Amino acid sequence: MSSAVLSQLPIARTHKLGILFLISGLWTLSLLDTAGKLLALAGYHVVMIAWMRYTINLFFMAATLAPLYRRRHGRSILQSNRLGLQLGRGALLLGSTLIFFSVLKIVPLAEGTAMNFCAPLIVLAISPWLLGERSYLSRWIAVLVGFTGMLIVIRPSGDIPPYGVALGLISALTQALLSILNRKASQADNPMVTLFYGALVGSVVSTLLVPFFWTSHTPTMVELAILVSTGITSTIGHFLQNSAYRHAEASVLTPFFYAQIISACGMGWLVFGQFPDRITVLGIAIICASGIGIAYIEHKRAHPLPPADPMESV
């Protein structure tokens, strides 16, 4: 075996660990989505759900992440090189949460998750203008294929009502804009800072909003447990996602984001008795295929194979 191949083995093992962290994180976030849908169907306003999710998330991070960051970097986690960007990103993150929970109230879990996965395709479409990135024919083909899949999912004869389709499209667009802000934030600050500000802004803003949307319904013990779980699953899920990027590159991890479709379908079937029909499954498969395909092409473009060395032994 060549020395070049041997040198790749430790990296491959590290990538596997990163992929494991990512899939675990995504499936944990599917529990968050399931809890949000359950609470919304039980009559809780999405603002109440978001308030509980972000407040518990903030307290957990303040107790664990903030002291860890100070020990590692010798400064407060609140010190940001681009405070305005972090505040704007946090507000958009809260808006994205509110919109997506509203989508899940009226749209099956699998279909709602699939529509949100059009966000990376939207980023590909608008990146030449907003990010100054070069446009490639392969990207436009992926966008067209992905949106074809989305049209199949939201087809007029399907089970998704028109206002659910509209909310789903808004959710995907919001996710796309959030993805762009995530890129800019990652260039300005440590990921721990970005993670903390997302929880801080979400908690503060939702605390200001929640009195206007509070319901008089007294939660049962089961509902209270589900409310508390939103903060726990969001914290664990995002922690696992961040850990994944410490072990593998984004181009390696991107195709595995679509594994969340599996958990969404499973939770939708187990908890709500909802499973996509064959045509919807086809549309979801097309969306996933376009995303995975362009991720593979982008990875190859960013990491071209070196020219073969005729003197290298096999």
Side-chain angles (χ1 to χ4, degrees):
M1 184 180 291
S2 69
S3 59
V5 174
L6 284 172
S7 65
Q8 295 295 322
L9 290 179
I11 299 176
R13 293 193 190 100
T14 302
H15 282 176
K16 289 178 182 178
L17 186 58
I19 292 166
L20 177 62
F21 277 134
L22 179 67
I23 294 177
S24 299
L26 292 172
W27 286 12
T28 302
L29 291 176
S30 283
L31 296 177
L32 169 64
D33 296 339
T34 303
K37 184 176 179 68
L38 280 170
L39 293 168
L41 292 176
Y44 292 91
H45 197 280
V46 292
V47 174
M48 288 183 64
I49 303 170
W51 171 73
M52 182 65 76
R53 171 242 197 271
Y54 281 103
T55 301
I56 293 177
N57 197 5
L58 176 63
F59 282 126
F60 183 84
M61 289 187 182
T64 58
L65 194 66
L68 176 63
Y69 183 82
R70 179 173 287 279
R71 285 198 300 271
R72 286 184 177 180
H73 302 279
R75 62 176 185 171
S76 170
I77 200 170
L78 292 173
Q79 287 184 255
S80 169
N81 296 316
R82 296 201 49 190
L83 181 59
L85 173 63
Q86 292 291 0
L87 295 177
R89 177 197 168 276
L92 186 63
L93 178 61
L94 173 62
S96 175
T97 300
L98 295 175
I99 294 169
F100 188 57
F101 280 168
S102 299
V103 170
L104 293 182
K105 186 175 181 179
I106 53 180
V107 174
L109 194 60
E111 284 87 332
T113 302
M115 286 193 287
N116 242 21
F117 274 117
C118 283
L121 303 175
I122 296 175
V123 172
L124 285 176
I126 64 180
S127 60
W129 294 276
L130 291 186
L131 296 175
E133 295 181 355
R134 183 178 175 182
S135 180
Y136 294 96
L137 178 61
S138 58
R139 293 181 177 179
W140 287 108
I141 293 174
V143 169
L144 291 174
V145 172
F147 279 107
T148 300
M150 185 163 188
L151 289 175
I152 294 174
V153 172
I154 65 175
R155 66 195 182 281
S157 60
D159 297 329
I160 303 177
Y163 55 92
V165 171
L167 272 178
L169 292 174
I170 294 172
S171 178
L173 179 60
T174 306
Q175 282 286 331
L177 295 175
L178 183 61
S179 176
I180 292 174
L181 290 188
N182 286 342
R183 292 189 190 184
K184 294 182 179 295
S186 67
Q187 297 168 355
D189 287 315
N190 186 285
M192 288 187 182
V193 175
T194 300
L195 198 62
F196 188 82
Y197 265 102
L200 177 63
V201 174
S203 177
V204 171
V205 176
S206 62
T207 298
L208 296 175
L209 293 175
V210 76
F212 301 100
F213 300 96
W214 197 266
T215 62
S216 57
H217 172 67
T218 302
T220 65
M221 291 301 295
V222 172
E223 290 171 348
L224 184 61
I226 295 174
L227 277 167
V228 173
S229 76
T230 60
I232 297 173
T233 52
S234 64
T235 302
I236 295 174
H238 286 109
F239 173 79
L240 289 170
Q241 273 190 276
N242 283 349
S243 298
Y245 285 99
R246 298 176 190 169
H247 301 280
E249 300 173 358
S251 57
V252 173
L253 295 174
T254 297
F256 294 92
F257 271 91
Y258 293 89
Q260 191 172 10
I261 293 288
I262 300 173
S263 58
C265 288
M267 295 304 297
W269 175 65
L270 287 172
V271 179
F272 305 103
Q274 299 171 334
F275 196 82
D277 59 29
R278 292 180 180 179
I279 298 179
T280 302
V281 168
L282 173 63
I284 292 174
I286 291 174
I287 294 173
C288 293
S290 65
I292 294 171
I294 192 61
Y296 176 78
I297 292 172
E298 293 291 315
H299 177 69
K300 290 296 184 182
R301 183 177 289 133
H303 301 84
L305 291 174
D309 184 355
M311 300 301 293
E312 188 178 51
S313 61
V314 178

